[in-house]
Amino acid sequence: MTSYSVVDRTLTIHFDSGSKADVTAHCLISRSAAGGLGLPEDYRLVMAYPDGEQECAH
């Protein structure tokens, strides 16, 4: 992870390496870590990689 951004109800975690094909493990880790950010319960979690973005399922 290189950075993250929050816009409205969307948390986007940015990676400068890797692939959107790797999203499953990153989603699991990020969902548990995001709890401390005070986001609303219905927030969207998006992983952004050099080859594109992938939204994590709830």
Side-chain angles (χ1 to χ4, degrees):
M1 177 182 137
T2 54
S3 65
Y4 73 91
S5 59
V6 178
V7 177
D8 296 322
R9 296 183 179 277
T10 301
L11 167 62
T12 304
I13 298 180
H14 305 272
F15 297 87
D16 58 357
S17 63
S19 169
K20 62 183 180 178
D22 302 328
V23 76
T24 302
H26 290 156
C27 284
L28 292 173
I29 294 166
S30 298
R31 277 262 180 238
S32 60
L37 294 175
L39 296 168
E41 200 169 298
D42 63 342
Y43 75 94
R44 292 177 57 229
L45 178 59
V46 176
M47 304 285 122
Y49 299 93
D51 65 347
E53 293 183 348
Q54 183 69 38
E55 184 172 350
C56 297
H58 282 275

